[in-house]
Amino acid sequence: MEKQDLSEFRKDQILQAATAVFARLGFHKARMDDIAQEAGLSKGAVYWYFKSKDEIITTILDRFMDRELENIQRISQGDGPIPVRLMKMMKTLAKEIEEISDRMPIIYEFYAIAAREEAIRKTIHRYFGKYTTLLQELIQTGIERGELRDVPPHEAALSLVAQMEGCKLIWILGVFDHPEVDLEKLFISSMNFMLEGLILEV
Amino acid sequence: MEKQDLSEFRKDQILQAATAVFARLGFHKARMDDIAQEAGLSKGAVYWYFKSKDEIITTILDRFMDRELENIQRISQGDGPIPVRLMKMMKTLAKEIEEISDRMPIIYEFYAIAAREEAIRKTIHRYFGKYTTLLQELIQTGIERGELRDVPPHEAALSLVAQMEGCKLIWILGVFDHPEVDLEKLFISSMNFMLEGLILEV
Amino acid sequence: MEKQDLSEFRKDQILQAATAVFARLGFHKARMDDIAQEAGLSKGAVYWYFKSKDEIITTILDRFMDRELENIQRISQGDGPIPVRLMKMMKTLAKEIEEISDRMPIIYEFYAIAAREEAIRKTIHRYFGKYTTLLQELIQTGIERGELRDVPPHEAALSLVAQMEGCKLIWILGVFDHPEVDLEKLFISSMNFMLEGLILEV
Amino acid sequence: MEKQDLSEFRKDQILQAATAVFARLGFHKARMDDIAQEAGLSKGAVYWYFKSKDEIITTILDRFMDRELENIQRISQGDGPIPVRLMKMMKTLAKEIEEISDRMPIIYEFYAIAAREEAIRKTIHRYFGKYTTLLQELIQTGIERGELRDVPPHEAALSLVAQMEGCKLIWILGVFDHPEVDLEKLFISSMNFMLEGLILEV
DNA sequence: AATGAATGAGTGTTCATTCAT
DNA sequence: GATGAATGAACACTCATTCAT
């Protein structure tokens, strides 16, 4: 393996191990020793590739957010009517999130830290910003195409982002005790309500 | 002051101080000394009233959730049409949340811990459970009164809870850079979308 | 009750409680709270009668040693032949020690501290000094009466003291696993050996 | 130095330092910092080799007892008449004990703890058990050879153990104020009395 | 590159002691 | 006399980080 490749390989190895340990123990209780052990490396090796525990955490967040954005970008492509595309997005997203469900809880550690850590906050803002912009464009298109009502696109996008974040939250917390409710159903029904409204049409 | 009263007073004093310190520094970085100092007491006094840092954290969550539930219960009372009442709820809730905005970030610490701590998780589940039930009843009523479409009440309630949690989340994270968007607007517009739908009526 | 009497009563009450707690937990692990609780008093009350934990410890040792010396003095009285009186002493002593067996282990805490604490050491020296003197006198008498060989009385006394202390030690430590061996037997057989010697008389 | 060797070397280094500190200050007053400093290491290094203060204490006792037993075993070898060999033992033992006199007081800390700590008690029992057995065998041999009276060997062994423990105790406590009395004299004269008896032969 | 021994600052918790009531 | 709330010094132990090899 090339030098560069090995370095990248090791970093991934460590990041993956760290993510697993963080998910299991939380940022604070997870020791560098735990991470090293999980990665099958020595503590010194971990420090060879990352300056500090914080750098590992920051890097995990960065990569996580990058991946999420790529996912959304990818699955928001398409050419059907906007409402249909939004519904499709929900389905795909749900599947992808469910696949990494065991690593999801650490996202709330990031949110918790965000209030105090500029770097973390920046990354999160960037993520939500792009996320919102993307949805806003979809909505704008939908309005222009006459597929959606003439709503303020930014507000609508924010509401959609909020809706999805909320769904993820209560799903991860395992809030609902109806086992038949999985994340996809939650996403779908939520999007349905958003699209069609609850109020009786007169 | 009576013995009992003093004890309650001190506990409140400590809890309030701890909440402030936790919001500022996070659970981990907050030292018992910080809490004691913020409360104007000695560390020993803090330990006279609470067995451990964990007990303080747990108690804060318990009381916080109790208060939130009381709030929601209170402001969900009323007798206008359900959609109107829901909109009113949003306004009142937004105001109340904005008042305690500085203490809100710690809620994500709780969510982060919930994955690992049974006790924390239980409290959070109880909170969301009651919250959902309450909204579900409102929706049920709305349907019966012919004010809302005939949607599955539980699913609708979950979506509403998710919507509101999501709004709180992105608001606390300071996600949107449009300063004119406050929590109330976010709540209101989200509820509007939920109620009326995005899709063009044919 | 008279003022003076109450004070003495309380002191005894505390000392007794402290002794029990110390025997159970050791000097260090025993907290003033434990002592107070065992005495059925408040911590403040304990401090009303004793300046400090150390004073309690010191006082316990003082009284313990006084009592032991009184015992020995009393049971060394008599008028039979010295060997007989020594054997009788062993029996009585054994009985008395067995009665307070649960409180005996703390004596080794005292011995352990003695190396570092002048006050404790003094008390212990005084105790052993009187103890030795008393035995020395008995032995002297025995020699003069022609009941014992013409041995150096001081050395013999020291050996007897050592013998008895050693018996107490291995008995308290529960060293021997022959359950039929109680302290009395140990004392008796030891004294027998001392008196008659192991070596075959030619 | 090999890895294994360094580890053993460090452990010895720490144990030796700890023993010195414990002898000076007692188990409780001795801080881990003191031990680290005495060993010329950092506190972290001490914890690298020992899990806890307790483990250090336990290990010290184990090694101490092992060494004592080896000593006794070694010096009980020989082929003269048993009484002579016993006297020789006393002399050698006295010399060896006097060499480590500064570390002896901690033995009473162990005895004090033994009442409460299973592990400590076990080690002490094992020590006294082997000690007694060894003496018992000597005595048995002595009886068979016609060098000692026909006494119950186990009882006699216990008495001898008690005698020696008692001598050590009063010597360590510095009980006697006759400076000409050293441990050897005490051992010798005690053994003499045991062997020859105090009572006048008729 | 990688190891793991070594460092030492940091902190939750305990508890003897004090003191207002 | 007695209470128990309050104090604060003390300490065992942890763990991120460093560095010699």
Side-chain angles (χ1 to χ4, degrees):
Chain A
M1 207 179 327
E2 293 298 315
K3 225 178 206 182
Q4 192 53 42
D5 287 349
L6 175 61
S7 182
E8 267 317 304
F9 178 77
R10 283 277 186 263
K11 281 195 173 190
D12 279 349
Q13 184 180 3
I14 292 165
L15 253 15
Q16 201 172 325
T19 306
V21 175
F22 286 152
R24 199 163 61 233
L25 302 173
F27 288 161
H28 174 231
K29 273 203 167 179
R31 294 170 303 133
M32 291 301 268
D33 277 303
D34 296 323
I35 295 171
Q37 188 173 43
E38 177 91 18
L41 292 169
S42 74
K43 206 170 9 171
V46 174
Y47 273 94
W48 183 263
Y49 293 100
F50 292 93
K51 253 203 303 295
S52 67
K53 193 176 178 182
D54 265 5
E55 195 182 272
I56 295 180
I57 292 175
T58 308
T59 308
I60 287 178
L61 178 62
D62 283 346
R63 299 209 177 178
F64 185 85
M65 288 314 196
D66 285 348
R67 210 160 30 232
E68 287 289 289
L69 281 176
E70 275 169 32
N71 283 349
I72 298 164
Q73 222 136 14
R74 179 170 41 74
I75 67 184
S76 67
Q77 313 285 338
D79 52 2
I82 297 302
V84 175
R85 277 163 69 184
L86 285 172
M87 293 302 288
K88 271 188 191 161
M89 274 183 72
M90 293 298 99
K91 279 183 194 170
T92 319
L93 216 49
K95 231 166 278 166
E96 281 170 346
I97 290 170
E98 278 173 344
E99 265 164 26
I100 57 165
S101 65
D102 55 326
R103 270 118 68 213
M104 282 303 286
I106 72 171
I107 200 69
Y108 295 105
E109 302 239 25
F110 289 125
Y111 291 167
I113 300 176
R116 295 182 294 281
E117 300 279 342
E118 182 68 11
I120 301 287
R121 192 162 54 241
K122 280 270 175 65
T123 303
I124 291 177
H125 281 193
R126 185 168 50 82
Y127 164 72
F128 277 112
K130 287 196 184 171
Y131 199 168
T132 309
T133 302
L134 197 148
L135 285 176
Q136 185 173 342
E137 287 166 1
L138 275 186
I139 290 164
Q140 181 71 47
T141 306
I143 294 169
E144 285 164 6
R145 286 193 195 169
E147 293 164 4
L148 296 177
R149 288 198 298 120
D150 187 16
V151 294
H154 185 66
E155 288 180 26
L158 276 178
S159 285
L160 275 184
V161 170
Q163 179 71 62
M164 289 160 71
E165 280 303 311
C167 285
K168 283 200 274 185
L169 173 63
I170 65 175
W171 175 72
I172 289 164
L173 289 177
V175 156
F176 40 76
D177 43 7
H178 295 234
E180 76 281 6
V181 180
D182 55 17
L183 183 57
E184 187 179 325
K185 275 199 184 150
L186 197 58
F187 264 177
I188 295 290
S189 72
S190 288
M191 185 55 89
N192 260 326
F193 292 127
M194 282 295 267
L195 289 174
E196 309 199 353
L198 293 172
I199 292 183
L200 207 61
E201 306 165 22
V202 209
Chain B
M1 204 177 333
E2 292 300 314
K3 208 180 255 189
Q4 192 54 41
D5 289 348
L6 175 62
S7 182
E8 268 316 304
F9 179 77
R10 282 275 183 269
K11 282 194 172 188
D12 282 348
Q13 184 180 1
I14 292 165
L15 254 15
Q16 200 172 326
T19 306
V21 175
F22 285 152
R24 199 163 61 234
L25 302 173
F27 288 160
H28 174 230
K29 272 204 166 180
R31 294 172 303 132
M32 291 302 270
D33 276 305
D34 295 326
I35 295 172
Q37 188 170 43
E38 177 91 17
L41 290 169
S42 72
K43 205 173 5 174
V46 173
Y47 275 94
W48 183 263
Y49 293 101
F50 293 94
K51 257 201 297 297
S52 66
K53 195 176 177 182
D54 262 7
E55 194 181 274
I56 294 180
I57 291 174
T58 309
T59 309
I60 287 178
L61 178 63
D62 282 346
R63 299 209 177 180
F64 185 85
M65 288 312 197
D66 284 348
R67 210 158 33 231
E68 288 287 290
L69 281 175
E70 276 170 31
N71 283 348
I72 298 164
Q73 222 135 13
R74 180 171 40 73
I75 67 183
S76 68
Q77 312 285 338
D79 52 3
I82 297 301
V84 175
R85 277 164 67 184
L86 285 171
M87 292 303 287
K88 270 189 194 160
M89 272 183 73
M90 293 300 96
K91 280 183 196 171
T92 318
L93 215 49
K95 231 167 278 165
E96 280 171 347
I97 290 170
E98 279 173 341
E99 263 164 27
I100 56 165
S101 65
D102 56 326
R103 269 118 68 213
M104 282 305 285
I106 71 172
I107 199 70
Y108 295 105
E109 302 238 24
F110 288 125
Y111 290 167
I113 301 175
R116 295 182 294 281
E117 301 278 344
E118 181 70 9
I120 300 287
R121 193 162 54 242
K122 280 270 173 66
T123 303
I124 291 177
H125 281 192
R126 184 169 50 82
Y127 164 72
F128 277 112
K130 288 198 184 168
Y131 199 166
T132 308
T133 302
L134 198 148
L135 285 177
Q136 184 172 344
E137 287 166 1
L138 275 187
I139 289 163
Q140 181 71 47
T141 307
I143 293 168
E144 284 164 6
R145 286 194 197 166
E147 294 164 2
L148 296 177
R149 289 198 297 119
D150 188 14
V151 295
H154 184 66
E155 288 180 26
L158 275 177
S159 285
L160 274 184
V161 169
Q163 179 72 63
M164 287 159 72
E165 279 304 310
C167 285
K168 282 200 276 186
L169 172 62
I170 63 175
W171 175 74
I172 289 163
L173 289 176
V175 157
F176 41 77
D177 41 7
H178 297 233
E180 77 282 6
V181 180
D182 56 16
L183 183 58
E184 187 178 325
K185 273 198 184 151
L186 197 57
F187 265 178
I188 293 293
S189 72
S190 289
M191 185 55 89
N192 259 326
F193 292 127
M194 282 295 267
L195 289 175
E196 307 198 356
L198 292 171
I199 292 183
L200 206 62
E201 305 165 23
V202 208
Chain C
M1 206 179 328
E2 293 299 314
K3 226 179 204 181
Q4 192 53 40
D5 288 347
L6 176 59
S7 181
E8 267 318 303
F9 178 76
R10 283 276 185 263
K11 282 195 173 190
D12 281 348
Q13 184 180 1
I14 292 165
L15 254 14
Q16 200 173 325
T19 305
V21 174
F22 286 152
R24 198 163 60 234
L25 302 173
F27 288 161
H28 174 230
K29 272 202 167 182
R31 293 171 303 133
M32 291 300 268
D33 277 303
D34 296 324
I35 295 171
Q37 189 173 43
E38 178 91 17
L41 291 169
S42 74
K43 206 171 8 173
V46 174
Y47 274 94
W48 183 263
Y49 293 101
F50 293 92
K51 254 204 302 296
S52 67
K53 192 177 177 180
D54 265 4
E55 196 182 271
I56 295 180
I57 292 175
T58 309
T59 309
I60 287 178
L61 178 63
D62 283 346
R63 300 209 177 179
F64 185 85
M65 288 313 196
D66 284 349
R67 210 159 31 231
E68 287 288 289
L69 281 175
E70 275 170 32
N71 284 348
I72 298 164
Q73 222 136 15
R74 179 170 41 72
I75 66 184
S76 67
Q77 312 286 336
D79 51 4
I82 297 301
V84 176
R85 276 164 67 184
L86 284 171
M87 293 301 288
K88 269 189 193 162
M89 271 182 75
M90 293 299 97
K91 280 183 195 170
T92 319
L93 216 48
K95 231 167 278 164
E96 280 170 347
I97 290 169
E98 278 174 342
E99 263 164 28
I100 56 165
S101 65
D102 54 327
R103 269 116 70 213
M104 281 304 286
I106 72 171
I107 200 70
Y108 296 104
E109 303 240 22
F110 288 125
Y111 292 167
I113 301 176
R116 296 182 294 280
E117 301 277 344
E118 181 69 11
I120 301 288
R121 194 163 52 242
K122 281 269 175 65
T123 303
I124 292 177
H125 282 193
R126 185 168 49 81
Y127 164 72
F128 277 112
K130 288 197 184 168
Y131 199 167
T132 309
T133 302
L134 198 147
L135 285 176
Q136 186 174 342
E137 288 166 0
L138 276 185
I139 290 163
Q140 181 70 48
T141 307
I143 294 168
E144 284 164 5
R145 286 194 197 167
E147 293 163 3
L148 296 178
R149 289 197 297 119
D150 187 17
V151 296
H154 184 66
E155 288 180 25
L158 275 177
S159 284
L160 274 184
V161 169
Q163 179 72 64
M164 288 160 71
E165 279 304 310
C167 285
K168 283 201 275 184
L169 173 63
I170 64 175
W171 175 72
I172 288 165
L173 289 176
V175 156
F176 41 77
D177 43 6
H178 296 232
E180 77 280 7
V181 179
D182 55 16
L183 184 57
E184 187 178 324
K185 275 200 184 147
L186 197 57
F187 265 178
I188 294 291
S189 72
S190 288
M191 185 56 89
N192 260 326
F193 292 127
M194 282 294 268
L195 289 175
E196 309 198 354
L198 293 172
I199 292 183
L200 207 62
E201 304 164 25
V202 207
Chain D
M1 205 179 329
E2 292 300 313
K3 208 180 260 186
Q4 193 53 42
D5 289 346
L6 175 62
S7 182
E8 269 317 304
F9 178 77
R10 283 275 184 269
K11 282 195 173 188
D12 282 347
Q13 183 180 2
I14 292 165
L15 253 14
Q16 200 171 324
T19 306
V21 175
F22 286 153
R24 199 163 61 235
L25 302 174
F27 288 161
H28 174 230
K29 272 203 168 181
R31 292 170 304 131
M32 291 302 269
D33 277 304
D34 295 326
I35 296 172
Q37 190 171 43
E38 177 91 19
L41 291 169
S42 73
K43 201 174 10 174
V46 174
Y47 276 96
W48 182 264
Y49 293 100
F50 293 93
K51 256 201 300 296
S52 66
K53 194 177 177 181
D54 263 6
E55 195 181 275
I56 294 180
I57 292 174
T58 308
T59 308
I60 287 178
L61 178 63
D62 283 346
R63 300 209 177 180
F64 185 86
M65 289 312 197
D66 285 349
R67 212 160 29 233
E68 289 288 290
L69 281 175
E70 276 170 32
N71 284 348
I72 298 164
Q73 222 136 14
R74 180 171 40 73
I75 68 184
S76 67
Q77 313 284 338
D79 53 2
I82 297 302
V84 176
R85 276 165 67 185
L86 284 171
M87 293 303 287
K88 270 189 192 161
M89 272 182 74
M90 293 299 98
K91 280 182 195 169
T92 319
L93 216 49
K95 232 167 277 164
E96 281 171 345
I97 290 169
E98 278 174 342
E99 264 164 27
I100 56 165
S101 65
D102 55 327
R103 269 118 68 214
M104 282 304 286
I106 72 171
I107 199 70
Y108 296 104
E109 302 239 23
F110 289 125
Y111 291 167
I113 300 176
R116 294 182 294 281
E117 301 279 343
E118 181 70 10
I120 301 288
R121 193 162 53 241
K122 280 268 175 67
T123 303
I124 291 176
H125 281 194
R126 186 168 49 82
Y127 165 72
F128 276 112
K130 288 197 184 169
Y131 200 167
T132 309
T133 302
L134 198 146
L135 286 176
Q136 185 174 342
E137 287 166 1
L138 276 186
I139 290 164
Q140 180 70 48
T141 307
I143 294 168
E144 286 164 5
R145 288 193 197 166
E147 293 164 2
L148 296 178
R149 288 198 296 121
D150 187 16
V151 295
H154 184 66
E155 286 180 27
L158 275 177
S159 285
L160 273 184
V161 169
Q163 179 71 63
M164 289 159 72
E165 280 304 311
C167 285
K168 283 201 274 184
L169 173 63
I170 65 174
W171 174 73
I172 289 164
L173 289 176
V175 156
F176 40 78
D177 42 7
H178 297 233
E180 78 282 6
V181 180
D182 55 18
L183 183 58
E184 188 178 325
K185 276 198 183 149
L186 198 56
F187 265 177
I188 295 292
S189 71
S190 289
M191 185 55 88
N192 260 327
F193 291 127
M194 283 293 268
L195 290 175
E196 308 198 357
L198 293 172
I199 292 183
L200 205 62
E201 303 165 25
V202 207

